[in-house]
Amino acid sequence: MKRGTKLIHNGYETDLAVGGITGALGVPVYQTSTFDQGTSYVSGDLSEHREYDYARSGNPTRKALEDIIAGLEGGAKGYAFGSGIAAVSSVLGIFEAGDHIVTAGDIYGGSWRILNTFYKKWGLEVTAVDTANLDAIKRAIKPTTKALFLETPSNPLLKITDLAAAIKIAKDVSNQRGSEIITIVDNTFMTPYLQRPIELGADIVIHSATKFLGGHSDVIFGLAVTRTKELGAQVYRVQNSFGAVPGPWDTWLVMRGIKTLKVRLEAQQAGAGILAGWLKAHKNVTDVYYPGLADHPGRAINEAQSSGAGAVLSFKTKTTEQALRFLGKVKLAAAAVSLGGVETIASYPVRMSHASIPEPERLRLGITDTLIRISVGLEDPDDLIEDFDQALK
Ligand SMILES: Cc1ncc(COP(=O)(O)O)c(C=O)c1O
């Protein structure tokens, strides 16, 4: 079955899949905190305890989406969370004090913050490297390294990490020393429609479903998928005990979003390609970062490991003044945090997504005051170009 079909025909086409009785073309919103177990007490057979007992531990609406995302990513188990960063934090919750994690340098600022502040306090050790450079990954691995945490394309500079090669490094070291280094990939920018890291050997995939999966800038949501049931059991333990779970309405919105992912992402990606080419030729733009551009250093790797360049790009203006003026003047893009919605969003990483990274570190990564990130929406690219042109003058 092709990808687009799988987004619709995912085992949860009707309410029958979750015990409904009508055959309705949708999973019901089970708005309940608890589930009656009375019958098992009457019969005295407590093994008859129902599948669901309390909605933090499990909810049929949530279970449907967890199964859907696991199926789309090709993993054994899926887990849903109240935000993307709750998914990141909960996955990191499987590690212990003293464990070391190698991360990409320019990961999402919130992931950087949770790793370098909160989890550092609890004894997790982190080394950030340019994971597009495989030697840098090798050099960063220590005897206590337990995971690689990757994002490709990276945020906000759209650097490409060779997933298969990075995963091979983790597996080779694991085999040599007899203890495992798992690979975790934040697949938010690509979605399983374009890229499936578990098929390339990754162990855990994370999503901010707030972005392309939800797709309409109307929900905050996170997902995680594990390659194995065993890793799934570890993530479930954190999901249930941390309790950063989503409500069923938001879950339903993400499920609905996934049904239209193909058409949204294909159209947004086509727009991003057009806009990136146009920006490259603009006299006030010094750099354009988009893996679909012919001269992007990671283009060939991205083409080999995914089926598209996605709908997010970044560019740098000549001066900070021009960047700020663009954000103030642009009309068809919200000057806002976030990405992946049907509307174009222009964000300013130094003040928004990456504000929590200290300035020297930010500048070292190339996240300057002239950098703007664009999440291309469903507007007509001609209109976006006309608008961007007036804002860049
Ligand atoms: C790549 C990436 N991962 C994780 C997150 C965090 O997700 P959320 O904002 O849903 O908590 C974001 C948010 O921008 C993101 O861009």
Side-chain angles (χ1 to χ4, degrees):
M1 204 187 278
K2 295 248 168 73
R3 288 278 120 202
T5 314
K6 270 194 171 180
L7 295 171
I8 315 284
H9 295 279
N10 48 33
Y12 286 93
E13 293 92 330
T14 71
D15 70 346
L16 302 174
V18 285
I21 53 167
T22 68
L25 296 192
V27 171
V29 175
Y30 281 92
Q31 185 71 49
T32 183
S33 59
T34 192
F35 301 83
D36 181 21
Q37 309 294 321
T39 48
S40 57
Y41 287 92
V42 170
S43 71
D45 179 4
L46 297 187
S47 66
E48 280 179 16
H49 236 248
R50 293 195 159 122
E51 183 180 354
Y52 299 100
D53 60 1
Y54 188 54
R56 169 158 47 76
S57 309
N59 170 292
T61 313
R62 193 172 96 208
K63 168 82 163 46
L65 176 57
E66 292 177 334
D67 287 349
I68 289 169
I69 193 66
L72 292 175
E73 288 286 1
K77 288 288 189 180
Y79 298 95
F81 299 89
S83 68
I85 209 66
V88 171
S89 310
S90 299
V91 164
L92 293 173
I94 70 174
F95 297 105
E96 290 177 12
D99 287 351
H100 172 248
I101 298 186
V102 178
T103 73
D106 59 337
I107 51 173
Y108 167 62
S111 302
W112 188 95
R113 181 172 53 201
I114 196 81
L115 277 159
N116 287 282
T117 57
F118 185 85
Y119 274 108
K120 206 167 208 167
K121 205 169 66 179
W122 298 101
L124 214 59
E125 209 198 328
V126 181
T127 304
V129 297
D130 176 2
T131 53
N133 175 352
L134 296 171
D135 285 334
I137 299 180
K138 279 187 200 155
R139 280 197 302 272
I141 291 176
K142 309 192 215 187
T144 51
T145 304
K146 292 290 162 62
L148 305 184
F149 187 101
L150 308 174
E151 221 180 279
T152 179
S154 70
N155 185 6
L157 290 172
L158 289 302
K159 281 190 185 164
I160 301 299
T161 296
D162 184 334
L163 283 175
I167 290 162
K168 184 171 182 311
I169 292 172
K171 287 199 193 306
D172 286 351
V173 177
S174 304
N175 290 337
Q176 278 159 23
R177 70 180 197 189
S179 70
E180 220 186 343
I181 299 179
I182 64 166
T183 305
I184 302 166
V185 181
D186 184 329
N187 203 25
T188 298
F189 274 36
M190 296 305 257
T191 83
Y193 185 66
L194 296 179
Q195 178 170 276
R196 289 168 300 284
I198 288 176
E199 288 178 1
L200 300 171
D203 299 288
I204 302 183
V205 165
I206 293 173
H207 285 282
S208 167
T210 310
K211 318 298 187 209
F212 290 101
L213 295 175
H216 294 75
S217 308
D218 53 10
V219 67
I220 296 284
F221 206 94
L223 291 163
V225 177
T226 61
R227 158 193 286 288
T228 63
K229 282 191 178 148
E230 292 70 26
L231 264 177
Q234 291 184 46
V235 173
Y236 176 70
R237 216 171 298 133
V238 185
Q239 184 197 41
N240 192 32
S241 29
F242 239 40
V245 293
W249 284 104
D250 285 354
T251 305
W252 186 87
L253 279 172
V254 173
M255 249 184 303
R256 183 169 73 167
I258 287 175
K259 292 181 185 181
T260 57
L261 179 64
K262 172 185 160 170
V263 281
R264 283 187 286 107
L265 195 48
E266 283 182 354
Q268 288 173 247
Q269 178 173 254
I274 295 169
L275 210 59
W278 177 82
L279 281 165
K280 221 169 152 45
H282 199 284
K283 67 177 179 5
N284 289 340
V285 172
T286 59
D287 302 277
V288 182
Y289 306 90
Y290 182 62
L293 287 172
D295 61 352
H296 188 287
R299 181 184 167 129
I301 293 168
N302 189 59
E303 272 182 359
Q305 70 190 13
S306 73
S307 47
V312 180
L313 60 92
S314 294
F315 66 93
K316 282 182 182 167
T317 50
K318 273 188 184 151
T319 65
T320 305
E321 213 173 47
Q322 283 168 345
L324 295 174
R325 192 171 178 283
F326 174 84
L327 290 165
K329 290 271 173 191
V330 72
K331 294 194 184 81
L332 293 182
V337 169
S338 205
L339 58 102
V342 294
E343 49 289 286
T344 295
I345 293 180
S347 60
Y348 194 45
V350 291
R351 294 282 159 76
M352 297 178 178
S353 53
H354 293 70
S356 57
I357 302 183
E359 190 178 351
E361 175 68 4
R362 239 193 316 104
L363 292 177
R364 200 182 57 74
L365 294 169
I367 306 171
T368 61
D369 290 352
T370 56
L371 182 72
I372 290 172
R373 189 188 73 193
I374 304 290
S375 169
V376 181
L378 286 176
E379 299 87 349
D380 194 297
D382 288 343
D383 291 331
L384 288 176
I385 285 174
E386 193 181 322
D387 185 36
F388 278 32
D389 198 32
Q390 64 78 23
L392 276 171
K393 279 220 169 87

